[in-house]
Amino acid sequence: MAERVDLLLRDVRIATLEPGIGKGALGVLERGALAARDGKVLWVGPEAELPAFAAAKVLTLDGRWVMPGLIDCHTHLVHGGTRAGEWEMRLKGASYEEVARAGGGILATVKATRAASEAELVAAALKRLDALLAEGVTTVEVKSGYGLNAADEAKMLRAAARLGAMRDVAIVRSFLGAHALPPEAAGDRAGYIREVCEVQLPRIVEEGLAEAVDGFCETIAFSPDEIARVFDAARAHGLAVRLHAEQLSDQGGAALAAGYGALSADHLEYLSQDGIAAMKRAGTVAVLLPGAFYFLGETQKPPVAKLRQAGVPMAVATDCNPGTSPMTSLLLAMNMAATLFRLTPEETIIGVTCAAAKALGRAERIGTLLPGKDCDLAIFDIEKPAELAYRIGFNPLHGVVRGGRVRRAA
């Protein structure tokens, strides 16, 4: 008797992202098939070797491409308000100080986020999330960091959880209390870091609101010593860590993060060779965020060639946020990573699948198509995978399979 499966895909070209299954770095099967049961990949391989399955649902895809569901591994999706006004000011020549005096900057988003209800945050974030889902994204990381007190950081993370309940997507939550100094701290940096470690983080842990702790290590944010205190607290609570590092200057944040076994170090425009070596030793993923680089008009690029030479995995993400990367297209982030940072098209695909999964600590579940992994798939109407990074403003998504359930593109 034929083995029962819930879903069978036939006549497809598959990028498994497993070089051992298929050809090249993307693990390509030119004429492949895939079977799923109970939300997991059961079998994947050449269609000529397809076992006799009794499938509840069969999709014949006429040579379309199937690959792991895309992963946006760095976003600030939940926030209140917009900062279009300060963007206009900057375009007209206003300095950072002038923008700040006019009420702009990160604290403007903090004010708007604190004023918004949880329901209002959810409603606003859903619009941004839907744009990502429409491109084949099946997993999204969402950070807090615009509350900067225990109640509002928790509110942001609860809103993020509700997104996952309202849409067919996996939401990964990160606590980013060490994002900026709130106005009520009145310059007391040590006191605020103490609050993050002793008040905010314990509440987040008690309510089960995050699985990782993030921070912003920069001259305009927090020093390596201050971030180390936050990471010590995260370690004491058994949470993973990741870090915004070396975006505007080399503060040694990447090496610090790697020393704590960080899942990722993100931005990295000013990453040093010592930082690269530390990340390689620790297995820390480099998350590249070309949207912020573009939006801020930066000129210092991440050392992609050196990261490539060292064998440090490179992920690509939108960094969706209101101040420096108001972008809700992971496909556009892939194009930017290729055109601005000179990643190859293959590297951009790896960057939004298996490398992104590793950056979230979920490589055992998602990011590649192997038996036993979650059956999260994106189906694209393209002739070759490079088209995903090549086109601008074009969405070739044909459909999505999430947890073995077929979800067509909108």
Side-chain angles (χ1 to χ4, degrees), residues 306-378:
K306 292 180 179 179
L307 287 164
R308 184 186 293 131
Q309 183 178 17
V312 174
M314 292 181 285
V316 175
T318 64
D319 191 18
C320 175
N321 77 76
T324 64
S325 186
M327 178 165 64
T328 53
S329 172
L330 192 55
L331 296 180
L332 179 56
M334 293 168 67
N335 176 272
M336 287 181 170
T339 56
L340 300 177
F341 294 166
R342 312 311 293 174
L343 268 69
T344 68
E346 283 188 346
E347 286 174 330
T348 68
I349 293 170
I350 291 168
V352 298
T353 54
C354 53
K358 190 173 189 295
L360 295 182
R362 296 199 173 191
E364 293 183 358
R365 292 180 50 189
I366 57 175
T368 65
L369 300 182
L370 274 180
K373 289 199 173 185
D374 292 355
C375 189
D376 290 356
L377 315 173

Side-chain angles (χ1 to χ4, degrees), residues 73-74 84 261 300 337 378 400:
C73 66
H74 181 130
Q300 176 85 15
V400 169

Side-chain angles (χ1 to χ4, degrees), residues 376-390:
D376 290 356
L377 315 173
I379 306 166
F380 293 106
D381 199 358
I382 54 178
E383 284 301 314
K384 59 187 300 183
E387 288 184 47
L388 294 182
Y390 157 73

